[in-house]
Amino acid sequence: MTTPKTTAVPTHVEEIKLANPGLGGVLLDEIRDPAISHISDDAEVLIKFHGSYQQEDRDQRQERKRAGQERAWQFMVRTKTPGGRLSAAQYLLADKLAGTYASDTLRVTVRQGIQFYGVGKANLKPLIKALNEHWITTYGACGDVARNVVSCPVADLLPGHDYNLQTLAQQISDRFLPDSTAYYELWLDGEKILADGRRVQVEPSRSESFYGPTYMPRKLKIAIGLPHDNCADLFTHDVALEAVIDGSALRGFNLVVGGGLGSTHGKAETFPRLGDRVGFLPVDAALEVIAAASAIYRDEGDRSNRRHARLKYILEERGVDWFRAALASRLGRELDAPVAVGAYDVHDHLGWQQQADGNWLVGVWVESGRIKDAGEHWVRTGLRAIVTAVSPEVRLTAQQNVVLAGISPADRPLVEALLAEHGMATAEGESGLRPLRRWAMACPSMPTCGLAVAEAERYIPELINALEDLGFGDERVWIRLSGCPNGCSRPPTAEIGIVGRSVGRYHVYVGGSFAGTRLARLYAPDVRIADLPDLLADLLTRWRAERSQGEAFGDWATRAGIGQGWHAE
Ligand code: SF4
């Protein structure tokens, strides 16, 4: 690898990475010190690479301050499960660990991982160790490295084709797992647990064959997506493979680079962006091409300004032709031109589908990805009962739902009975689920996320209730709400994106396409939370009056010229 080029002053995060080789250093000391309840800012940077964020319960902040107490420190732990795949035993373990070491809920993320919240510092090691003992890593789930690789959770199971994107997702994930053994030294007493169950002692090392000493300039998001089912939202990733399907065969991939969703309010130089197609590659070149594309980002990304560090800004400023040439120079050959693909669509994988092997899979709706028991919906207990009873494989979706797969025809009636018994919905009409609620998504935001400026997960049920009361519950419109412009629930590609601006205020964006091929535009800045339902109801009423037959909300909003740009004036 080449040394990252920079003429500007590196950020403090770059200095921290250099000063703590291989993500160890101060983090190891602070985690091992039982006398401290929370870790320093420098260690906080490093622990992200290990799959955890230091957080606090922000609901308690003022009261604790008045009482002269320190903040209610806690940690979030995120798993890295390529393509969202877990065995039944792994799911049951995660469920158990949530009760033992975390806040008694699991949260399915938009990158097909699981997040544990409310983990005390002393519980970090037992939690991470227990996960690893069952081959669930957290290494690289956060931080300036390749994050969990997103892929359709069910395509490999469905009939009519012979491709398996899940296997490729795992290979890509393995390729970009950091080499440094600091992770194993800190959480696993210096052991690595191999796929066959053997434990091997690691030889301490801090070197990184791909990343080098400073890792990536920022996060690297990788996805493999299908045009006819863009559940991976592939244009929002730094590097993505767009499957080119020929009949039932996978012909190859278009490489898509430069997508990303985050921005900063008031900073016009930051913006969401969809990735560009830069070339076509055969299936067996996937790992090599992704590595070369990622290396361009690693070496050319802006390490002097984290807001400007993502690959999308390189594409925006230097263009696709520059990237193609840079890629050719690293590969020693040019990629063919991108290949035309079919029409885009998306599926959230709810409901029953028969697999190619004759077994069944069923997608279960999970509100904002939070697996919990609440009211009449005992989703956590229900999932535990079903997984215990019939041992399905578990697949997490990028829409924050859960798919249970490999259910035999003989077991299907039992699963149906358990779903109904626990008030779980797999289709509209079940347990009160209607289209508007089915597609609504929200990020975690308050009270755990340190960047949140407005409510998201805790508010979205209320917003959907209000819109149902106003008569819009049966409309299929994709609403996504985030508590800040980092956009973790992907509002920039939503038909209606709602982004926290400050406490109780949101920017409202409209016009993303349902299948994730177009960005939303700013419709109304700084809307008070109390005004959101009526503002959305007015828009939905106008859409109903003006839409052509079958015209989706986002398509209508675009045709009608509603909304402009991303930033407020
Ligand atoms: Fe936190 Fe912002 Fe992400 Fe929501 S979008 S989880 S508030 S960083």
Side-chain angles (χ1 to χ4, degrees):
M1 64 153 285
T2 54
T3 306
K5 271 188 279 183
T6 177
T7 49
V9 179
T11 63
H12 185 50
V13 171
E14 294 299 314
E15 292 172 353
I16 293 168
K17 289 186 268 186
L18 270 179
N20 297 274
L23 313 169
V26 66
L27 177 67
L28 273 60
D29 300 336
E30 293 188 21
I31 291 294
R32 287 169 174 159
D33 184 348
I36 51 176
S37 64
H38 68 283
I39 59 177
S40 66
D41 292 351
D42 285 12
E44 202 172 290
V45 167
L46 300 167
I47 202 170
K48 292 178 185 173
F49 294 75
H50 294 239
S52 178
Y53 274 70
Q54 178 165 252
Q55 301 183 328
E56 65 169 309
D57 180 348
R58 293 174 61 181
D59 283 347
Q60 296 186 42
R61 189 185 285 180
Q62 292 309 324
E63 199 182 317
R64 292 176 79 96
K65 195 172 174 188
R66 275 194 294 274
Q69 297 170 329
E70 69 169 350
R71 295 180 183 188
W73 296 109
Q74 52 183 244
F75 291 80
M76 179 275 282
V77 173
R78 182 184 295 163
T79 68
K80 200 175 185 190
T81 42
R85 198 168 175 179
L86 291 164
S87 68
Q90 287 174 325
Y91 178 81
L92 290 175
L93 172 80
D95 176 72
K96 187 172 155 210
L97 294 174
T100 311
Y101 298 122
S103 60
D104 234 4
T105 66
L106 296 165
R107 197 175 197 279
V108 181
T109 77
V110 294
R111 298 199 68 74
Q112 299 176 289
I114 285 178
Q115 287 181 177
F116 300 86
Y117 286 91
V119 182
K121 179 168 172 274
N123 283 336
L124 277 172
K125 182 171 175 182
L127 171 59
I128 294 174
K129 190 173 184 192
L131 289 168
N132 275 272
E133 282 170 343
H134 289 77
W135 304 284
I136 303 172
T137 191
T138 65
Y139 202 5
C142 325
D144 298 345
V145 285
R147 304 287 186 86
N148 196 33
V149 179
V150 173
S151 179
C152 177
V154 299
D156 60 309
L157 301 172
L158 297 177
H161 63 80
D162 56 6
Y163 48 82
N164 186 342
L165 306 183
Q166 285 280 336
T167 300
L168 182 57
Q170 183 68 56
Q171 289 168 345
I172 295 169
S173 185
D174 293 346
R175 170 71 182 81
F176 289 100
L177 196 68
D179 299 328
S180 168
T181 59
Y183 180 85
Y184 308 100
E185 293 162 39
L186 182 52
W187 311 112
L188 295 161
D189 300 318
E191 288 184 333
K192 233 182 198 178
I193 299 161
L194 305 182
D196 60 9
R198 276 182 304 133
R199 292 164 180 264
V200 293
Q201 204 68 30
V202 296
E203 195 62 44
S205 164
R206 297 291 180 266
S207 66
E208 291 287 356
S209 56
F210 175 78
Y211 293 115
T214 48
Y215 295 82
M216 301 299 287
R218 274 201 62 196
K219 65 184 94 172
L220 167 59
K221 292 186 172 178
I222 300 175
I224 316 168
L226 295 156
H228 64 271
D229 180 8
N230 187 26
C231 61
D233 215 354
L234 71 94
F235 292 101
T236 64
H237 293 258
D238 294 284
V239 178
L241 297 175
E242 178 189 49
V244 177
I245 311 288
D246 205 345
S248 64
L250 177 63
R251 197 174 134 203
F253 297 105
N254 286 325
L255 177 68
V256 176
V257 297
L261 295 177
S263 63
T264 305
H265 288 311
K267 301 272 182 199
E269 67 277 18
T270 67
F271 43 82
R273 184 179 193 276
L274 297 182
D276 297 301
R277 293 185 181 93
V278 300
F280 174 81
L281 54 127
V283 176
D284 61 7
L287 282 174
E288 177 198 16
V289 172
I290 287 186
S294 303
I296 295 171
Y297 172 27
R298 178 195 66 201
D299 299 342
E300 302 289 339
D302 186 348
R303 290 175 186 264
S304 66
N305 177 1
R306 288 184 66 78
R307 285 195 184 128
H308 186 250
R310 292 289 293 277
L311 178 59
K312 64 182 175 181
Y313 298 114
I314 297 177
L315 265 293
E316 186 69 18
E317 288 155 21
R318 304 191 203 178
V320 174
D321 288 345
W322 177 89
F323 193 90
R324 277 179 63 85
L327 192 62
S329 137
R330 287 179 188 251
L331 291 171
R333 64 182 190 282
E334 280 195 11
L335 292 188
D336 291 342
V339 171
V341 295
Y344 261 70
D345 201 351
V346 67
H347 200 297
D348 61 2
H349 307 300
L350 289 197
W352 288 92
Q353 282 182 281
Q354 192 154 29
Q355 301 175 188
D357 64 3
N359 288 323
W360 290 87
L361 62 82
V362 62
V364 180
W365 180 70
V366 182
E367 187 172 39
S368 291
R370 183 74 68 172
I371 298 176
K372 63 181 181 185
D373 294 333
E376 295 168 358
H377 308 288
W378 283 57
V379 177
R380 183 153 173 241
T381 301
L383 284 173
R384 188 190 308 134
I386 296 168
V387 177
T388 302
V390 303
S391 289
E393 203 182 315
V394 177
R395 307 277 180 105
L396 312 172
T397 81
Q399 287 70 43
Q400 303 172 296
N401 296 313
V402 173
V403 174
L404 306 172
I407 299 167
S408 71
D411 282 339
R412 179 170 167 171
L414 172 62
V415 175
E416 285 175 329
L418 288 169
L419 287 165
E421 187 184 316
H422 293 89
M424 295 155 77
T426 67
E428 289 160 16
E430 292 179 3
S431 299
L433 183 64
R434 297 167 70 189
L436 198 68
R437 194 177 299 273
R438 168 181 180 166
W439 292 96
M441 288 167 60
C443 74
S445 192
M446 297 290 287
T448 51
C449 178
L451 299 172
V453 294
E455 295 283 348
E457 181 182 339
R458 296 197 294 197
Y459 169 60
I460 200 157
E462 190 183 318
L463 176 63
I464 301 298
N465 287 345
L467 291 171
E468 284 184 346
D469 290 347
L470 290 164
F472 299 100
D474 291 324
E475 300 291 0
R476 191 192 81 152
V477 178
W478 207 328
I479 298 177
R480 299 183 195 156
L481 175 62
S482 276
C484 88
N486 274 340
C488 294
S489 58
R490 303 199 300 269
T493 46
E495 294 190 288
I496 297 177
I498 305 170
V499 177
R501 174 72 184 96
S502 57
V503 178
R505 287 183 179 268
Y506 299 84
H507 285 351
V508 176
Y509 300 82
V510 297
S513 69
F514 203 82
T517 54
R518 188 177 57 229
L519 289 174
R521 301 168 303 279
L522 182 62
Y523 167 63
D526 241 357
V527 180
R528 289 186 311 159
I529 195 166
D531 297 333
L532 270 176
D534 286 344
L535 179 126
L536 297 185
D538 287 349
L539 267 177
L540 293 166
T541 301
R542 194 178 149 196
W543 164 55
R544 277 179 173 171
E546 296 179 8
R547 66 186 168 190
S548 55
Q549 195 173 6
E551 189 174 29
F553 177 87
D555 295 340
W556 163 78
T558 301
R559 179 172 62 81
I562 297 174
Q564 203 171 21
W566 183 255
H567 288 282
E569 291 300 316

